[in-house]
Amino acid sequence: MAYQNILTENREGILIITINRPDKLNALNGQTLTELQDVMHDLVKNDSVKAAIITGSGNKAFVAGADISGFQGMNKTSGSKLAEVGQNIFFQIENCPKPVVAAVNGFALGGGCELAMACHFRLASENAKFGQPEVNLGLIPGYGGTQRLIQLIGKGKAMELLMTADMIAAPEALQLGLVNYVTTSDDLLPKTIELLKKIMSKSPFAISRVIDCVNKYFEPGNDGFRFEYDQFGACCETEDFKEGTSAFLEKRKANFTGR
Ligand code: COA
């Protein structure tokens, strides 16, 4: 499908999703969010896609936030709705059964930082900068930023970044655990692809269960341990389980189908 603000490329089973509004530093307007929702919906159903990368167009920004030009005139009802819609799209990413990784190639501010945090993990180029500058606008993050930043870097530092609106550079993001790797700009996509290829060589069914179990930890009121043993049991019913254990015993490489 052709999109207006998003580019997609299926590179050997990895869908590279590029937010493409470089003249606006890839800011997320309504159209872009709708397109992102469609892309996420399609990639789950598309058997030729095994994993995804979200990145930004150009070399300056991943995503510099929600599009501020659409903010004026918002009231309590429309503001809450905007945040709810955005949150639902980001939940779609977080709960995607296929791995979704952010390749952060520049500014990841506000909704951009939130988009990166909704992905399963993040890599950054050396020029990446992260921040939640909403308080500069008289706002707070609305796409899950107050929740996911705590999950990733802890309460004290999250409070500081959310209250000061300070931007942090890639090395500090690495040190805080917000990103897993920092690379040169040229190495960002190759390194992300290398990691995803490794993941894609494992059982897709088991990978989807890992995503679910890890996400369960953050759902209040859920017994993640119980969920884990149920999912462990579910894995035992799969062809992937038979193939993985047989391959080990036969000293050969497993060929998983995800069934
Ligand atoms: N929403 C809408 N437009 C945005 C945007 C956003 N979040 N971020 C950048 N843009 C636009 C700018 O308005 C500018 O458009 P113009 O050329 O039509 O004037 C263009 O992108 C380039 O940005 P500019 O500010 O000129 O680049 P810069 O290098 O001087 O500064 C930033 C880069 C990221 C520091 C700055 O753009 C910025 O602070 N953006 C807003 C970040 C933010 O608050 N995000 C959270 C939103 S909730």
Side-chain angles (χ1 to χ4, degrees):
M1 192 190 292
Y3 298 102
Q4 202 178 303
N5 297 335
I6 287 182
L7 304 172
T8 56
E9 178 199 339
N10 186 338
R11 208 182 285 183
E12 295 174 51
I14 300 174
L15 190 72
I16 302 178
I17 302 165
T18 305
I19 310 296
N20 186 35
R21 298 182 74 215
D23 53 328
K24 296 293 174 193
L25 303 188
N26 305 320
L28 297 174
N29 60 4
Q31 172 74 22
T32 312
L33 281 175
T34 304
E35 291 181 8
L36 188 56
Q37 183 174 35
D38 290 349
V39 171
M40 292 310 302
H41 186 73
D42 288 349
L43 87 82
V44 174
K45 290 189 303 180
N46 187 340
D47 286 342
S48 75
V49 175
K50 310 292 181 199
I53 295 173
I54 301 182
T55 193
S57 187
N59 54 12
K60 191 168 171 185
F62 172 71
V63 165
D67 192 321
I68 300 168
S69 66
F71 281 2
Q72 279 181 325
M74 265 190 325
N75 59 23
K76 186 177 174 185
T77 309
S78 56
S80 300
K81 191 71 209 165
L82 177 84
E84 187 187 1
V85 168
Q87 284 194 11
N88 285 337
I89 297 168
F90 287 14
F91 280 133
Q92 230 182 311
I93 296 170
E94 185 167 58
N95 294 313
C96 178
K98 301 175 184 178
V100 184
V101 177
V104 180
N105 57 326
F107 290 112
L109 302 175
C113 188
E114 291 169 300
L115 173 61
M117 292 194 292
C119 294
H120 296 140
F121 59 89
R122 291 141 290 283
L123 284 79
S125 57
E126 288 158 339
N127 66 326
K129 287 204 164 57
F130 296 81
Q132 296 289 162
E134 287 85 350
V135 291
N136 287 332
L137 304 169
L139 284 170
I140 63 166
Y143 297 162
T146 62
Q147 306 302 294
R148 292 195 181 95
L149 195 58
I150 299 169
Q151 294 171 1
L152 289 165
I153 69 169
K155 183 176 173 183
K157 197 66 192 180
M159 280 283 195
E160 181 191 332
L161 293 183
L162 291 163
M163 292 197 280
T164 60
D166 278 351
M167 273 190 235
I168 57 168
E172 192 178 352
L174 180 66
Q175 184 227 324
L176 290 170
L178 187 56
V179 302
N180 294 10
Y181 298 92
V182 176
T183 70
T184 63
S185 293
D186 285 348
D187 286 342
L188 182 62
L189 269 190
K191 174 73 184 171
T192 313
I193 289 170
E194 178 193 315
L195 275 170
L196 280 173
K197 284 202 165 154
K198 184 189 277 190
I199 294 169
M200 285 157 65
S201 72
K202 318 297 177 194
S203 154
F205 186 87
I207 295 295
S208 74
R209 300 303 79 208
V210 166
I211 293 168
D212 255 13
C213 285
V214 172
N215 284 340
K216 236 357 142 220
Y217 177 84
F218 297 102
E219 277 179 28
N222 261 304
D223 183 346
F225 285 96
R226 190 198 159 111
F227 188 75
E228 184 188 83
Y229 68 60
D230 282 344
Q231 298 311 310
F232 182 91
C235 287
C236 296
E237 297 279 307
T238 63
E239 288 175 23
D240 278 0
F241 166 68
K242 287 193 198 92
E243 168 64 9
T245 47
S246 304
F248 177 81
L249 295 172
E250 292 161 17
K251 300 191 187 306
R252 62 173 173 83
K253 200 171 167 298
N255 183 18
F256 293 114
T257 59
R259 290 194 292 273

